[in-house]
Amino acid sequence: MFQLVENSKGKTPPLIIITGQSLGGSIATLFTLWLLEGLNLSKAKHPLCITFGSPLVGDEHLQKCVLEFSTWKYCFLHIVSNQDHTPKIFMSQNTTGAYKPFGTFLLCSTSGCACSEDPDFVLEQFATTNSHSAQTQDPNLGFPYGQILEDLKHKALCNVFKSIEGERDPLEASIITQLLAIGAVSPQSCMDIDNLVGKMKAHETKLLIQKKKNSDSDNKLNDVKIHMAYLEWYKKESKDKGYGYYDMYRKKEKPADVKVNEYKKKLMNYWEDSVTEIKNKPQLDRAYLQLRWLYGDTTYRRMVEPLHIAGYYKDGGDNYHTEDGKSPKHFTLLEKLHQEKQEQEEKKKQETQKQEETPESGPSKSKRKNVVSSILNDDSCFWARVEEALIMLKNGGLTTDDKGKLKEFEDYVWIALKNYAVSPEIFLKNNSFMKWWNEYKGIVESSSSLSHFMKNGGPKEYEEGKFT
């Protein structure tokens, strides 16, 4: 059954409810998955699928796919009676089989009901009640769930038993209450209770440990946001003093520079661990982690790698990009992952609409022009290229090869400017780029595009988003 529930004032998207009983529940589940995959959720809420006595749908691969989208599993509510054999038709006696559950299960018996989102718990109870129940019925006729729904109106979802024999800790007592409520065991079957409780307690303990790990991870992520916010403040403070934050950090003359160094190390530790995690994940989990990060990894790389480069050259380094250089590998991998995301997005875009605009005149450039004052350098190694160009000028006696490399750097800067791919902070009078330009402008041909730009108000136009 398919139903639209609309707000009477029509101000919110309609709620889509899909229901089905027995084999119809399987169809409802598959239809809901199809909706979730293709539905425009800006115009409609997430659909809600409610099934009654539905067989399990899909194996562990489908289960894993559903669980990767954090909100999808909450779109499914499966109501199952311990007397209904249909939900277990794809299970062998006392085994879980290849079919795996997902969503929320409301497990019912004559004693009461219990809710669970834990797939392992659901399978365990299916196997237990499957072995206890000899009742079979035609799955096309279905089990009479109307009476169960009627009963739910008059009692709590879980029966709270007055006493549980023996001294139990709260976790054991909670598990026993649920097992008794759904008819998985009886109060007299102490052996069954102890056996099942032992299994479920071990499983719940494992879940609690995992939850704590996730909580610790969330706390680390919050710390990362705080550290990044401090770097944003430091960037603004540096700009107000006529330096870019790259050169301010390179000088390291203020107490704030020491604090930035501390946060830089913490951020690098976090992302190095994250990159190690993603390298050890299969492709499907890797895609999930990339989605979870969104573009946080790119902002981190563009903000923090310049600080690492500043420290490298302050300590006497002369070529950040060589094998002997100090470029951490996780920066390279994050850049590679970012490029993969861009390629995927571009491919998807090309599949949905015809591309009529060039990269230089497309919406991406237009958007950058409007927010140019806040952008970061696209190339997180921009300042390493500036330093290498400065070193060539400092050495004097430019060879033909040096002049060729300086011309390559000039062209690189010009292309970046045309695409609004560098921050206007590079034009601050006290930073390394302007130091390079002040030395290089006596060498460069006056007819070059960059020379014309720098001498005819180009930096000011660029900062105002008026450069074309």
Side-chain angles (χ1 to χ4, degrees):
M1 185 177 104
F2 177 89
Q3 183 178 0
L4 274 175
V5 179
E6 290 198 66
N7 182 285
S8 59
K9 297 182 180 180
K11 293 183 178 179
T12 58
L15 172 64
I16 302 171
I17 300 176
I18 304 100
T19 63
Q21 180 172 351
S22 197
L23 297 181
S26 300
I27 297 171
T29 299
L30 294 173
F31 179 68
T32 303
L33 288 171
W34 176 78
L35 275 181
L36 286 168
E37 196 277 332
L39 193 64
N40 182 353
L41 294 176
S42 64
K43 297 182 179 179
K45 295 180 180 179
H46 280 79
L48 174 62
C49 177
I50 304 174
T51 70
F52 301 89
S54 170
L56 297 178
V57 175
D59 60 9
E60 62 182 343
H61 299 293
L62 178 61
Q63 181 195 59
K64 193 172 185 179
C65 263
V66 172
L67 296 180
E68 286 214 349
F69 296 91
S70 58
T71 58
W72 282 24
K73 66 179 181 179
Y74 301 114
C75 296
F76 298 91
L77 173 61
H78 307 290
I79 301 171
V80 177
S81 167
N82 70 331
Q83 298 299 313
D84 185 1
H85 188 69
T86 304
K88 308 144 195 169
I89 58 176
F90 296 133
M91 296 174 59
S92 304
Q93 189 79 355
N94 293 320
T95 65
T96 57
Y99 288 81
K100 304 296 180 185
F102 55 83
T104 301
F105 281 77
L106 184 61
L107 306 171
C108 305
S109 74
T110 54
S111 303
C113 298
C115 242
S116 179
E117 296 173 0
D118 181 0
D120 293 330
F121 177 84
V122 172
L123 281 178
E124 184 74 35
Q125 303 321 308
F126 273 21
T128 303
T129 54
N130 195 29
S131 62
H132 290 169
S133 176
Q135 179 179 349
T136 61
Q137 74 275 339
D138 183 348
N140 293 308
L141 296 177
F143 187 85
Y145 279 91
Q147 186 58 48
I148 289 178
L149 293 178
E150 190 64 29
D151 291 343
L152 286 177
K153 297 178 183 178
H154 305 291
K155 62 174 139 181
L157 294 184
C158 286
N159 252 352
V160 180
F161 290 85
K162 292 182 179 179
S163 63
I164 298 175
E165 286 190 23
E167 294 185 1
R168 304 273 186 176
D169 64 40
L171 178 57
E172 286 184 352
S174 173
I175 292 170
I176 292 171
T177 300
Q178 290 192 64
L179 293 175
L180 292 171
I182 62 177
V185 295
S186 64
Q188 293 76 28
S189 54
C190 296
M191 189 175 295
D192 283 349
I193 288 180
D194 289 340
N195 188 23
L196 278 174
V197 167
K199 287 183 181 179
M200 296 312 303
K201 186 176 180 181
H203 181 68
E204 290 293 331
T205 302
K206 182 179 177 182
L207 289 179
L208 288 171
I209 293 172
Q210 184 60 46
K211 187 175 180 180
K212 185 178 184 305
K213 286 182 180 178
N214 292 339
S215 177
D216 292 343
S217 177
D218 289 342
N219 290 336
K220 286 182 180 178
L221 192 57
N222 288 333
D223 289 341
V224 164
K225 292 176 182 177
I226 293 170
H227 300 339
M228 289 296 292
Y230 187 88
L231 293 189
E232 290 283 357
W233 169 85
Y234 181 76
K235 182 173 179 287
K236 181 181 182 303
E237 186 80 0
S238 304
K239 181 180 177 181
D240 292 343
K241 295 185 183 218
Y243 292 88
Y245 78 105
Y246 172 82
D247 284 274
M248 180 68 82
Y249 182 77
R250 197 183 192 288
K251 290 162 64 70
K252 288 187 181 175
E253 295 177 344
K254 306 286 184 183
D257 304 328
V258 178
K259 195 72 173 176
V260 166
N261 187 52
E262 176 190 336
Y263 285 162
K264 177 182 80 79
K265 288 179 180 178
K266 290 180 178 179
L267 286 165
M268 288 182 66
N269 288 338
Y270 173 83
W271 283 101
E272 283 174 354
D273 290 344
S274 297
V275 167
T276 301
E277 179 185 2
I278 204 173
K279 283 170 66 178
N280 295 331
K281 291 283 186 181
Q283 192 63 35
L284 200 59
D285 289 342
R286 184 175 299 185
Y288 166 71
L289 284 174
Q290 286 179 243
L291 181 66
R292 186 184 72 183
W293 288 351
L294 294 176
Y295 289 94
D297 55 329
T298 303
T299 303
Y300 156 76
R301 179 171 51 81
R302 291 175 178 172
M303 181 72 82
V304 175
E305 188 167 15
L307 301 179
H308 188 75
I309 292 169
Y312 171 75
Y313 283 100
K314 181 177 175 62
D315 293 339
D318 59 4
N319 196 329
Y320 185 73
H321 291 101
T322 62
E323 289 185 7
D324 295 330
K326 301 294 183 180
S327 175
K329 292 181 180 179
H330 79 283
F331 284 130
T332 304
L333 181 57
L334 285 173
E335 184 175 14
K336 181 182 176 183
L337 293 173
H338 175 67
Q339 290 172 348
E340 288 177 1
K341 283 190 285 190
Q342 284 187 316
E343 290 170 4
Q344 291 167 4
E345 288 172 359
E346 185 63 26
K347 184 178 179 181
K348 188 175 181 180
K349 190 175 180 181
Q350 289 174 352
E351 289 173 352
T352 56
Q353 65 180 37
K354 184 179 179 181
Q355 299 298 297
E356 296 179 350
E357 298 173 294
T358 65
E360 290 189 15
S361 63
S364 177
K365 180 180 175 182
S366 298
K367 184 177 179 181
R368 283 172 171 271
K369 288 171 69 173
N370 294 331
V371 295
V372 64
S373 62
S374 62
I375 64 173
L376 298 167
N377 296 335
D378 275 12
D379 182 1
S380 58
C381 292
F382 174 85
W383 292 108
R385 302 183 196 282
V386 173
E387 293 281 5
E388 288 158 16
L390 272 170
I391 289 171
M392 281 187 277
L393 290 174
K394 189 185 296 183
N395 290 337
L398 294 174
T399 65
T400 302
D401 185 51
D402 289 337
K403 290 180 180 178
K405 288 180 179 178
L406 286 169
K407 182 64 172 67
E408 286 178 8
F409 177 66
E410 178 190 342
D411 293 340
Y412 157 81
V413 172
W414 180 241
I415 292 171
L417 289 170
K418 288 199 298 180
N419 289 293
Y420 278 83
V422 289
S423 167
E425 290 183 13
I426 68 170
F427 302 122
L428 293 171
K429 62 180 181 179
N430 294 321
N431 72 26
S432 297
F433 176 79
M434 290 306 296
K435 182 180 178 181
W436 168 81
W437 171 250
N438 289 331
E439 293 185 31
Y440 181 66
K441 66 183 180 183
I443 301 172
V444 65
E445 295 179 6
S446 59
S447 60
S448 79
S449 297
L450 183 60
S451 178
H452 184 270
F453 171 87
M454 295 297 292
K455 293 175 180 178
N456 292 279
K460 183 172 177 58
E461 288 185 354
Y462 187 87
E463 188 171 358
E464 294 173 351
K466 297 177 181 178
F467 172 64
T468 55

